[in-house]
Amino acid sequence: MVTETTPASSRPVTSSEAPSGSKIVLGQNQYGKAEVRVVRVSRDTERHSIEDLNVSSQLHGDFLSAHTEGNNEHVVATDTQKNTIYAFARERVGSPEEFLLRLADHFTGEFDWVSGGRWEAEQYGWQRIEDHDHSFVRDNREVRTAVVVADGDRRTVVSGVQDLTVLKTTQSGFEGYPKDRYTTLAETNDRIMSTDVKARWRFADGAEVDYNAVYDDVTSILLAKFGEKYSSALQQTMFDMGKAVLEAHPEIAEIKLSLPNNHHFVIDLSFCGLDNPNVVFHADDRPYGFIEATVRREDSDDASAVWELIPGFC
Ligand SMILES: O=c1[nH]c(=O)c2[nH]c(=O)[nH]c2[nH]1
């Protein structure tokens, strides 16, 4: 007879029977290599160029026996996934979206049990130093992002931008909001408005896209709309930004925006007898207002399964 020393309730469940009697099964799972930093130098001529990416690969498919039996015959090693990223970069990158689509096709085509996955990239910009052929300075203006979700033959491409910090010194206000006993905020029709633009736009299935050109145009539209007209609230400006992107790009089905309101408070300088007509501000880093929305075509398809794989957006 085996003597029990650990109370049954605190033992890990090692069989497929939970204490409640219901069977324990493997739920959603994915695995791969995260954050493979790959820098590709194009050096066909003396005038070099750089593509600087941070790529993650996650496979979906039949990996049941790896989890439940320790059988790795389906487990394409994460190390192999990393090597594949480097090897594919040897041929070309082109755009993060095309690069990820090639990885998706490779892994789903090469391994029968890989039914799909999620490939993601951040891309960092470099600018030439004074038109130099092979010297560059990192352009930290923003980070470009791309995600490809594969599910069988379906490919969903979501492009994006983040850390694009913008500020306007006037033509922004916030008035007409409800006042209750907790309200202290003064109404204003002249304030600084600033945010770090984080956006993701999903392409309609099967769209033929020049991803680099669309990226440049979408970021220009977002910037132009931020400054263009008087803002009654960040909510209004955000919707205008998203709407303008969809109006200009029929191949985009929807765009999600996630915008912190980087508050700038006017400092009261009366303590030393000075006025302050919106000249000196305190740039507060927290707390911040947090304004998020999806702007979409009314008849766009439901891509909620894809968005579940892209956290951080409502
Ligand atoms: O643009 C704004 N939207 C808000 O919802 C809000 N709330 C707040 O206190 N300030 C602001 N500003």
Side-chain angles (χ1 to χ4, degrees):
M1 193 182 112
V2 179
T3 311
E4 294 274 7
T5 52
T6 315
S9 61
S10 66
R11 269 180 314 183
V13 176
T14 53
S15 78
S16 60
E17 287 289 311
S20 67
S22 57
K23 195 173 173 203
I24 296 190
V25 295
L26 178 68
Q28 263 190 356
N29 63 91
Q30 59 177 0
Y31 81 99
K33 195 67 105 189
E35 305 208 41
V36 180
R37 291 286 285 105
V38 50
V39 177
R40 184 182 200 282
V41 179
S42 297
R43 47 195 314 144
D44 303 341
T45 68
E46 282 191 358
R47 194 167 172 81
H48 295 178
S49 59
I50 302 178
E51 291 164 299
D52 182 357
L53 302 174
N54 189 22
V55 181
S56 298
S57 169
Q58 297 269 278
L59 304 185
H60 302 163
D62 176 10
F63 304 110
L64 181 64
S65 65
H67 292 86
T68 61
E69 292 166 29
N71 172 1
N72 291 337
E73 68 184 8
H74 277 186
V75 183
V76 182
T78 68
D79 195 64
T80 306
Q81 295 180 49
K82 174 203 69 185
N83 290 344
T84 309
I85 289 166
Y86 286 127
F88 274 41
R90 172 67 183 89
E91 193 190 335
R92 63 183 248 103
V93 173
S95 69
E97 292 84 354
E98 288 166 65
F99 188 65
L100 301 181
L101 283 165
R102 287 171 52 222
L103 290 170
D105 289 345
H106 167 75
F107 286 110
T108 55
E110 188 91 350
F111 305 103
D112 288 348
W113 58 90
V114 176
S115 56
R118 174 188 183 283
W119 290 270
E120 178 181 19
E122 290 186 346
Q123 184 168 25
Y124 315 112
W126 290 88
Q127 274 184 2
R128 287 183 195 286
I129 298 177
E130 292 183 353
D131 206 36
H132 199 278
D133 277 347
H134 57 260
S135 299
F136 300 85
V137 57
R138 172 88 170 251
D139 172 3
N140 285 324
R141 196 184 79 158
E142 82 235 22
V143 172
R144 176 174 172 177
T145 67
V147 178
V148 167
V149 174
D151 182 10
D153 290 337
R154 187 174 178 196
R155 302 281 178 270
T156 307
V157 179
V158 177
S159 300
V161 64
Q162 62 199 34
D163 303 332
L164 182 63
T165 301
V166 290
L167 181 151
K168 61 198 276 189
T169 51
T170 187
Q171 288 293 300
S172 159
F174 188 60
E175 299 174 284
Y177 47 85
K179 320 287 182 306
D180 69 7
R181 61 191 181 285
Y182 302 116
T183 305
T184 58
L185 184 73
E187 296 193 316
T188 178
N189 58 16
D190 190 3
R191 64 174 185 174
I192 283 183
M193 190 164 84
S194 175
T195 187
D196 312 316
V197 177
K198 185 171 165 193
R200 298 287 184 272
W201 50 96
R202 177 176 68 85
F203 291 95
D205 280 5
E208 282 282 312
V209 181
D210 176 343
Y211 292 105
N212 290 338
V214 172
Y215 177 81
D216 289 343
D217 197 51
V218 168
T219 49
S220 320
I221 292 169
L222 293 172
L223 292 179
K225 287 292 158 184
F226 174 78
E228 192 178 274
K229 66 173 203 201
Y230 178 82
S231 167
S232 297
L234 188 50
Q235 286 91 329
Q236 181 195 32
T237 302
M238 176 177 62
F239 182 76
D240 283 349
M241 291 161 78
K243 181 166 171 258
V245 167
L246 294 188
E247 281 169 353
H249 287 280
E251 71 279 24
I252 297 177
E254 59 183 327
I255 178 167
K256 290 180 184 272
L257 290 134
S258 179
L259 304 181
N261 190 355
N262 298 338
H263 301 303
H264 287 68
F265 296 115
V266 180
I267 297 290
D268 180 358
L269 295 175
S270 60
F271 68 88
C272 56
L274 293 174
D275 67 353
N276 188 4
N278 275 0
V279 175
V280 179
F281 295 82
H282 167 65
D284 217 12
D285 69 338
R286 67 194 74 172
Y288 49 90
F290 198 36
I291 315 294
E292 301 181 280
T294 302
V295 185
R296 62 182 190 84
R297 299 183 197 284
E298 203 177 9
D299 57 357
S300 67
D301 55 333
D302 175 23
S304 44
V306 168
W307 289 113
E308 271 175 30
L309 296 170
I310 306 176
F313 289 87
C314 72

